Amino acid sequence: MNKSRKILSLVTAAMMISTTSCSLFSKKPNSGTETVTAAGHFAEKVKIEWKSTFSYTDQIDKLIADFQEIEPNVEVTYTKISGNYSALKTNVIDGIGAANIPNIVTCYPDHVAEYLDYGIVLNLEKYMDAEDANGEKLDYAWTDEDYEDVLPSLMSQCNSFAAKGTYMLPHTSSTEAMFYNEEILGKTFEGCNNGNPITARYLNDITWEELMGNLAPAIYKYNADHGNCWLNVGEGGKGAVVAYSGSDNAFVTLTEQQGVTFSAINKSTGNGEIHFNDDRTMKNVMKQFHGYYQDDLFTTAALESETNLNVNEKLYAVFATGSTGGIKYQVPSDASFNTGVMRIPNFKGKPHKVISQGPGLCALKVGSDAQKLASYLFMNFMIQKENTLYWALETGYFPVRSSCFEDDLYIEATSTKGKTEASTDLLKAKVYTYASTVQQDFFTNVPFKGSDSARSLAGSLLDECVGYEGEITDSVLDEKFAAAVNEILKKM
């Protein structure tokens, strides 16, 4: 590997973040005057560091190398932090006092909101809308096509903070889907699908009322009558017909599907607000799902003391909602059945909604002006069409531009033709197809200081309500919702 691409120690990285000044060059697009030299935008060496948790070493090395072909004077160092994104956030915050923070960090909008509170985030709009003295856009500024092409649901996460501006760029995109054991297809269950065999189309349009009121009970009975062929529930068993891996995503998705506002930002104060407790809607939903849990029809990973619940050989679920970024866990290791992909059910008369999520790239206020520009240029390079498409097809995530979904390479990736039965490649093709059809269903939550804690505590609230032992009365629900909101407010 080229020396400039090796992962450096934090001490070495800190030495790199100097205040070296460089001459900057720019060119006018389509002006016929090339003022960018062979050294790209920089006449002298510029060093920047990118911190993330990604393990896609080969893909990252390739993208860095490609970037350095057009910006040879920019040395990009990638540092992988062990652990999850919360660990990465802690690493960044702990480094503030020691002036040991990276130029670029991979993070969720919730974390950017906290970084903003420390005053260390670079507003990218000065580069995205950069003009020369004649009012012409610089070559690295965003065009109208860029603004139209980047998925609105992802871009809204980048500029919906209390502080006005754009403080991150989307990079890694995923959503949730409901995966299911395709052995149920073609079977007839009394009271379901008008007496016709179960089809993928029926499942893709199913409501929560139909799934939990008719199909799930019928599958539960069939499973019991056939020696627990799909589930091992009951005494000594785990799981349910329908499972949700992330309780936090379950709560915010159900909230959005009901048309209830989960949270918002007060425009006057810039602080977050919690609204899911404004009326009884979500309390009634929790009461419904508590009943489903009691009947072994619904559960969550947390209620089963598991990290995830998947449609796999553990026989924990026939339907399991989880991230499209973790599809390899939805395929049985013994290849005993195929896994299908369907939309998450909606409530009758309510629109389909599915959360759009994924970490983006954030530039921090560290180093010289040259380092800040180089950071933006690298981030912007990463989300160009060919690069976000490459990243998506290599990692299983989704591209962040609409045009990618119409690209021949992406369309080819959605084809199930020639894919091995019960394989990850086959499921990946199904997920790519799914993603291209549900973009209109995407939603995001507004980011603010404490919004990640709000989601986490809302997930705990769902588990407490759904898994409550005994009758869950209105007074019990009122008490639990009030306690959850109070805990959330302490984190804000």
Side-chain angles (χ1 to χ4, degrees), residues 276-277 280 283 461 464-465 468 471-487:
F276 64 77
N277 193 28
R280 299 210 64 84
K283 295 173 184 176
L461 171 63
E464 288 184 18
C465 294
Y468 185 75
E471 182 184 1
I472 188 158
T473 62
D474 288 346
S475 60
V476 169
L477 289 166
D478 289 343
E479 180 181 343
K480 290 190 176 297
F481 270 65
V485 172
N486 287 335
E487 286 302 308

Side-chain angles (χ1 to χ4, degrees), residues 429-445:
K430 296 175 183 178
V431 167
Y432 283 149
T433 300
Y434 165 83
S436 64
T437 61
V438 296
Q439 293 178 47
Q440 71 278 3
D441 301 338
F442 286 168
F443 77 92
T444 59
N445 291 127

Side-chain angles (χ1 to χ4, degrees), residues 379-491:
M379 291 163 54
N380 198 41
F381 169 83
M382 292 287 281
I383 67 168
Q384 294 307 300
K385 179 183 175 181
E386 63 273 18
N387 298 325
T388 186
L389 182 58
Y390 166 78
W391 180 259
L393 296 179
E394 287 288 314
T395 64
Y397 287 102
F398 303 145
V400 301
R401 288 178 176 264
S402 298
S403 57
C404 292
F405 293 95
E406 301 172 359
D407 190 273
D408 289 343
L409 286 175
Y410 190 88
I411 293 172
E412 182 181 346
T414 65
S415 174
T416 58
K417 186 177 181 180
K419 302 293 193 304
T420 303
E421 290 293 301
S423 68
T424 302
D425 284 344
L426 178 61
L427 183 55
K428 184 187 290 188
K430 296 175 183 178
V431 167
Y432 283 149
T433 300
Y434 165 83
S436 64
T437 61
V438 296
Q439 293 178 47
Q440 71 278 3
D441 301 338
F442 286 168
F443 77 92
T444 59
N445 291 127
V446 293
F448 51 85
K449 183 180 179 181
S451 56
D452 54 345
S453 296
R455 290 168 51 83
S456 177
L457 289 167
S460 298
L461 171 63
L462 180 143
D463 290 325
E464 288 184 18
C465 294
V466 171
Y468 185 75
E469 295 184 5
E471 182 184 1
I472 188 158
T473 62
D474 288 346
S475 60
V476 169
L477 289 166
D478 289 343
E479 180 181 343
K480 290 190 176 297
F481 270 65
V485 172
N486 287 335
E487 286 302 308
I488 290 172
L489 294 177
K490 291 178 183 178
K491 303 288 186 179

Side-chain angles (χ1 to χ4, degrees), residues 179-253:
F179 301 91
Y180 64 93
N181 185 333
E182 285 192 349
E183 289 183 341
I184 66 172
L185 296 178
K187 290 185 168 51
T188 301
F189 299 101
E190 185 178 354
C192 305
N193 198 25
N194 297 318
N196 298 311
I198 302 302
T199 64
R201 182 174 181 178
Y202 162 74
L203 294 176
N204 206 48
D205 293 328
I206 203 168
T207 62
W208 282 114
E209 289 85 353
E210 172 70 6
L211 176 61
M212 305 309 300
N214 295 317
L215 183 58
I219 288 176
Y220 184 86
K221 182 179 184 304
Y222 181 97
N223 178 73
D225 292 343
H226 291 79
N228 288 346
C229 58
W230 295 322
L231 294 166
N232 186 24
V233 296
E235 188 175 351
K238 275 190 174 184
V241 179
V242 180
Y244 225 115
S245 280
S247 303
D248 50 356
N249 280 347
F251 190 91
V252 298
T253 299

Side-chain angles (χ1 to χ4, degrees), residues 24-73:
L24 308 182
F25 298 84
S26 64
K27 68 179 180 180
K28 299 176 183 178
N30 303 318
S31 66
T33 304
E34 296 289 338
T35 56
V36 174
T37 70
H41 288 84
F42 307 92
E44 299 177 16
K45 291 291 184 182
V46 183
K47 298 179 180 181
I48 59 174
E49 182 193 20
W50 170 25
K51 278 188 180 181
S52 182
T53 63
F54 291 133
S55 298
Y56 302 108
T57 305
D58 292 343
Q59 291 78 14
I60 288 171
D61 284 347
K62 178 189 180 303
L63 287 165
I64 289 177
D66 290 348
F67 175 72
Q68 290 177 323
E69 285 186 10
I70 60 175
E71 296 291 348
N73 276 335

Side-chain angles (χ1 to χ4, degrees), residues 99-125:
N100 183 24
I101 59 176
N103 303 89
I104 301 170
V105 62
T106 300
C107 55
Y108 281 95
D110 312 85
H111 300 165
V112 176
E114 290 199 42
Y115 298 153
L116 279 166
D117 205 45
Y118 287 95
I120 62 170
V121 188
L122 191 63
N123 186 347
L124 302 175
E125 290 182 359

Side-chain angles (χ1 to χ4, degrees), residues 184-345:
I184 66 172
L185 296 178
K187 290 185 168 51
T188 301
F189 299 101
E190 185 178 354
C192 305
N193 198 25
N194 297 318
N196 298 311
I198 302 302
T199 64
R201 182 174 181 178
Y202 162 74
L203 294 176
N204 206 48
D205 293 328
I206 203 168
T207 62
W208 282 114
E209 289 85 353
E210 172 70 6
L211 176 61
M212 305 309 300
N214 295 317
L215 183 58
I219 288 176
Y220 184 86
K221 182 179 184 304
Y222 181 97
N223 178 73
D225 292 343
H226 291 79
N228 288 346
C229 58
W230 295 322
L231 294 166
N232 186 24
V233 296
E235 188 175 351
K238 275 190 174 184
V241 179
V242 180
Y244 225 115
S245 280
S247 303
D248 50 356
N249 280 347
F251 190 91
V252 298
T253 299
L254 293 170
T255 302
E256 187 74 16
Q257 289 181 336
Q258 283 286 356
V260 174
T261 300
F262 177 80
S263 60
I265 293 179
N266 187 305
K267 293 183 179 180
S268 298
T269 65
N271 296 326
E273 297 178 339
I274 302 301
H275 292 292
F276 64 77
N277 193 28
D278 288 353
D279 58 33
R280 299 210 64 84
T281 301
M282 288 310 297
K283 295 173 184 176
N284 291 335
V285 171
M286 292 300 99
K287 185 179 291 188
Q288 280 182 289
F289 278 77
H290 171 263
Y292 302 148
Y293 176 75
Q294 295 292 315
D295 294 335
D296 286 331
L297 301 180
F298 178 85
T299 192
T300 68
L303 289 172
E304 304 296 336
S305 300
E306 293 286 335
T307 303
N308 292 290
L309 286 180
N310 306 310
V311 180
N312 59 17
E313 68 277 4
K314 290 183 178 180
L315 304 181
Y316 284 174
V318 176
F319 300 89
T321 297
S323 172
T324 53
I327 59 175
K328 63 182 180 180
Y329 303 112
Q330 301 289 355
V331 178
S333 60
D334 61 0
S336 57
F337 61 86
N338 278 319
T339 303
V341 185
M342 57 185 268
R343 295 163 91 183
I344 297 173

